[in-house]
Amino acid sequence: MTTPFPFTAVVGQDDLRLALLLNAVSPAVGGVLVRGEKGTAKSTAVRALSALLPEVAVVSGCRFSCDPSAPDPGCPDGPHESGGGTARPARMVELPVGASEDRLVGALDIERALSEGVKAFEPGLLADAHRGILYVDEVNLLHDHLVDLLLDAAAMGASYVEREGVSVRHAARFLLVGTMNPEEGELRPQLLDRFGLTVEVAASREPDLRVEVVRRRLAYDDDPAGFAARWAEEEAAVRARIVAARQLLPQVRLGDGALRQIAATCAAFEVDGMRADIVMARTATALAAWAGRTDVLAEDVRQAALLALPHRRRRNPFDAPGLDEDKLDETLEQFGDDDGPDTDPDGPDGPDGPDGPDGGGGQPSADGPDSGGDASTPAEAGEGGEAGQPAGAGSGERSPVGSAEPFRTKVLSVPGIGEGAAGRRSRARTEHGRTTGARRPRGALTKLHLAATVQAAAPHQRARGRRGPGLVVRRDDLRQASREGRESNLVLFVVDASGSMAARQRMGAVKGAVLSLLLDAYQRRDKVGLVTFRGSAADVALPPTSSVDAAAARLESLPTGGRTPLAAGLLKAHDVLRVERLRDPARRPLVVVVTDGRATGGPEPLLLASRAAGLFAADGVASVVVDCESGPVRLGLAGKLAGELGGTAVTLDELRADSIAGLVKDVQRRAA
């Protein structure tokens, strides 16, 4: 087994280390979501944490890690007698992004269940993670049906496996830790709220710190065991401190003053529900225990808010996470209490509070390298900050225009039935959904069609010498349920940014419409891409990605002006689809062309655009043209383009009206 990188050898990342340690002290805090760019030691720190956790006592031979002092009465390996047991290290179980449902929750031997009536159950990762850590790298890329299972287990502290009337239940209480790169897409709000704390990590821009990171990593790679031995004393000290903090935790007093500050802070930042209040209370208590105190101070409440609230205050998918620290300090001061130790800023340990494991002193600064923000986030790019940018000299380019308010759109879907990644847009054959038929299983059986299986086995019972009530079932009798659900698609936006679209009010409405469609794509778990055309060429403003936030940011900063190379835009989009088809052949595309249909520049621009559109029609690509033409005189060029694409056209007004309900039918009729 490879020696893990020591937790105390991680350079910087104070917020990340503190959040992990607080969960080690009090697992009731609810886990950690680590957001940040690649290569910032996210996974390294999480894997290193497991070596610091105290050992757990388990019932000998129990596959579900029952506690000998209080065994689970419903354990599938039970019943167990109280007392005894053995101690083993706490486990850290990794959930791969591409794991199957059976790998996560466990699997039943359906054939034995039908023929012998026994519950032959093979535990899954949730059972392995009980009383330990469940780690999900790239948690934002996890399939929706696995997310649903995680949510259920996290809420109930148990996992239920149901297979055609046969059910198994076992305890599943674990520390949930996820890491993600926001550029690859955001989490569903339901799962986001399940993480107790969140931290933003980024690589330091200080040369000395970067040098130390490289030095330690090279030393570890050269001799992992020797490097770990050099940090053994620091690791033992942190491990002992975790044990001491756990013992002190029940004695920590959360006074009325601290509770008022917690409630006021959550109300001031308008977080949904009461989970934030509870998580903040538990985090502040753990901070006090980690600092060796029995009273919660105002500084604990402040640090708890910085860790527990940023991911809960997002009002829509394009809002950047974070807290206004001036507002936080104002709220804490307003609701402070000076009649007891709750608000003593220095406390018995002085201002140092819960220092990091490297002895850096003090709580991690909220103004450290992780809090600098990303200047490309939609929240910053969409609030008029770009209006003062100079236009390109001599190019006819105009300053970017902010978008109008987004609105709710009706569903645009791809006709036919696909087999792409799970999502919420178009019809598809999936492992989850309504049952539409039965077939022989290809590979392992995952979803049994009971009636079809019984029907296949029934004619052979006499020949198989059936005696008694049991049904004699063989492998050839098993039938897999065919199911139909929804898939996600690649929604490729092709946006006209030429001079004919550049009127500020008009372009703002266009951006608002595209932003609305992006919001719909976020909710339906689509991949999105953005191609723009203006001047003399087309550009891929955003290659296909799961990060709808990134698409919104590029859209907001999109400049306009120049000629209208419509053919170039269509050809560029066709090339993007060709490359993406090689990377992800099962994902079907939906092309949304946003234009007034005009084409200028070069010889016979409309003819070239028509030929380019014919490529999409020949490939059977589903398409919609959002007609942006305005004014009393309309040429109808966008409608003609839609016909050449084999799609349909809709005006900006129709995009938000009930009349768009007929749009999908038009797409399907033209594709038939």
Side-chain angles (χ1 to χ4, degrees):
M1 182 178 178
T2 305
T3 303
F5 192 91
F7 186 85
T8 51
V10 175
V11 178
Q13 308 297 10
D14 293 334
D15 282 352
L16 170 58
R17 292 186 296 161
L18 178 61
L20 292 171
L21 289 169
L22 292 178
N23 275 273
V25 171
S26 177
V29 166
V32 186
L33 174 64
V34 188
R35 298 165 46 94
E37 59 196 28
K38 53 186 176 294
T40 49
K42 299 189 299 292
S43 299
T44 298
V46 174
R47 293 189 176 99
L49 175 67
S50 61
L52 296 178
L53 297 181
E55 291 187 334
V56 295
V58 298
V59 173
S60 300
C62 177
R63 298 173 297 167
F64 301 89
S65 303
C66 281
D67 186 347
S69 62
D72 180 8
C75 177
D77 284 356
H80 303 302
E81 295 183 0
S82 299
T86 59
R88 63 160 176 78
R91 291 174 179 162
M92 190 194 75
V93 177
E94 295 193 40
L95 172 61
V97 169
S100 66
E101 178 182 339
D102 286 344
R103 183 72 186 98
L104 177 62
V105 301
L108 288 168
D109 188 330
I110 300 296
E111 189 170 354
R112 288 190 63 191
L114 286 174
S115 59
E116 303 175 28
V118 297
K119 296 180 182 179
F121 180 70
E122 184 67 27
L125 297 177
L126 290 180
D128 293 341
H130 180 46
R131 304 176 66 202
I133 301 173
L134 181 62
Y135 172 50
V136 189
D137 195 12
E138 306 295 350
V139 64
N140 51 324
L141 303 182
L142 200 63
H143 287 301
D144 277 359
H145 68 283
L146 297 182
V147 170
D148 293 336
L149 293 170
L150 275 181
L151 289 175
D152 289 342
M156 298 183 292
S159 174
Y160 292 85
V161 184
E162 303 288 344
R163 290 292 188 276
E164 304 296 345
V166 180
S167 63
V168 172
R169 174 216 163 272
H170 64 82
R173 292 182 294 275
F174 46 81
L175 168 60
L176 181 60
V177 181
T179 59
M180 60 174 282
N181 183 348
E183 294 179 357
E184 296 173 340
E186 283 292 348
L187 273 176
R188 286 172 53 185
Q190 296 94 327
L191 183 57
L192 197 62
D193 189 52
R194 289 293 179 184
F195 286 97
L197 310 179
T198 185
V199 291
E200 297 278 338
V201 297
S204 172
R205 300 299 181 250
E206 292 292 331
D208 291 343
L209 282 178
R210 297 176 74 95
V211 166
E212 186 61 23
V213 169
V214 174
R215 181 182 291 118
R216 293 187 187 183
R217 186 71 214 189
L218 293 178
Y220 171 77
D221 291 341
D222 289 341
D223 183 10
F227 184 82
R230 291 196 291 274
W231 289 87
E233 185 175 345
E234 288 82 353
E235 293 280 286
V238 173
R239 191 178 298 110
R241 188 173 175 183
I242 291 173
V243 173
R246 283 189 172 187
Q247 294 172 347
L248 183 62
L249 187 65
Q251 305 172 38
V252 175
R253 172 180 172 264
L254 183 65
D256 289 342
L259 280 173
R260 279 196 298 272
Q261 288 181 318
I262 290 170
T265 301
C266 292
F269 286 99
E270 300 180 355
V271 296
D272 295 329
M274 295 297 299
R275 182 175 282 117
D277 303 63
I278 296 171
V279 170
M280 272 191 66
R282 289 171 174 167
T283 304
T285 303
L287 281 162
W290 177 247
R293 291 186 265 102
T294 56
D295 289 299
V296 173
L297 308 181
E299 64 189 56
D300 299 325
V301 176
R302 186 182 194 278
Q303 183 66 54
L306 292 173
L307 294 172
L309 296 188
H311 61 303
R312 291 187 165 90
R313 63 160 298 276
R314 290 170 62 96
R315 309 314 299 171
N316 68 65
F318 305 140
D319 285 343
L323 289 183
D324 182 340
E325 295 191 33
D326 291 337
K327 180 178 179 180
L328 173 61
D329 291 335
E330 180 181 340
T331 303
L332 293 177
E333 182 178 355
Q334 179 182 354
F335 289 89
D337 184 1
D338 58 3
D339 61 357
D342 293 324
T343 57
D344 181 0
D346 295 331
D349 292 338
D352 290 346
D355 58 346
D358 59 353
Q363 296 181 15
S365 171
D367 298 323
D370 296 343
S371 63
D374 182 355
S376 66
T377 58
E380 295 173 355
E383 295 181 357
E386 76 281 12
Q389 295 178 0
S395 65
E397 179 178 317
R398 305 189 187 187
S399 300
V401 178
S403 66
E405 277 296 312
F407 52 85
R408 185 172 181 271
T409 67
K410 295 295 180 70
V411 181
L412 306 179
S413 63
V414 178
I417 301 179
E419 295 182 345
R424 299 180 179 182
R425 183 171 296 278
S426 305
R427 294 173 59 197
R429 298 181 184 91
T430 63
E431 290 294 322
H432 305 271
R434 62 184 182 90
T435 301
T436 58
R439 58 177 174 80
R440 291 181 182 271
R442 295 189 292 268
L445 178 71
T446 56
K447 296 291 183 182
L448 178 73
H449 194 296
L450 182 59
T453 299
V454 172
Q455 186 176 7
H460 308 290
Q461 296 306 296
R462 182 175 296 179
R464 294 173 183 174
R466 172 184 170 185
R467 299 290 186 271
L471 187 68
V472 181
V473 179
R474 294 181 180 173
R475 174 69 185 176
D476 290 344
D477 301 327
L478 299 179
R479 295 294 183 268
Q480 175 86 20
S482 298
R483 302 191 175 218
E484 183 178 306
R486 293 281 170 178
E487 68 175 0
S488 62
N489 298 109
L490 166 60
V491 182
L492 182 61
F493 293 92
V494 186
V495 180
D496 184 349
S498 64
S500 65
M501 300 278 289
R504 298 188 70 84
Q505 185 175 3
R506 183 180 178 194
M507 197 61 196
V510 168
K511 286 187 176 183
V514 178
L515 197 64
S516 303
L517 292 169
L518 282 171
L519 180 58
D520 182 68
Y522 166 81
Q523 294 168 339
R524 300 187 186 283
R525 315 299 289 171
D526 293 316
K527 291 180 72 172
V528 297
L530 180 62
V531 173
T532 64
F533 57 95
R534 55 178 293 275
S536 60
D539 295 310
V540 181
L542 183 72
T545 175
S546 297
S547 178
V548 179
D549 284 16
R554 302 292 172 87
L555 177 72
E556 288 286 0
S557 61
L558 178 66
T560 59
R563 293 183 177 272
T564 312
L566 177 58
L570 294 175
L571 290 174
K572 179 68 72 174
H574 188 268
D575 189 56
V576 170
L577 293 184
R578 178 186 60 80
V579 174
E580 191 65 18
R581 195 176 294 118
L582 298 174
R583 294 174 177 169
D584 193 356
R587 190 184 296 269
R588 298 187 294 162
L590 173 64
V591 176
V592 179
V593 185
V594 185
T595 181
D596 57 11
R598 290 180 172 83
T600 59
E604 302 187 66
L606 286 175
L607 178 59
L608 291 176
S610 176
R611 291 176 178 174
L615 297 175
F616 291 86
D619 291 343
V621 176
S623 59
V624 175
V625 177
V626 179
D627 184 359
C628 302
E629 191 174 27
S630 60
V633 179
R634 297 175 181 263
L635 302 178
L637 296 175
K640 182 179 178 182
L641 174 64
E644 292 166 342
L645 286 166
T648 190
V650 58
T651 67
L652 286 173
D653 290 336
E654 291 170 338
L655 194 59
R656 67 167 73 218
D658 291 339
S659 58
I660 198 175
L663 183 60
V664 176
K665 295 180 181 179
D666 291 341
V667 172
Q668 293 172 337
R669 184 176 64 251
R670 291 174 182 270

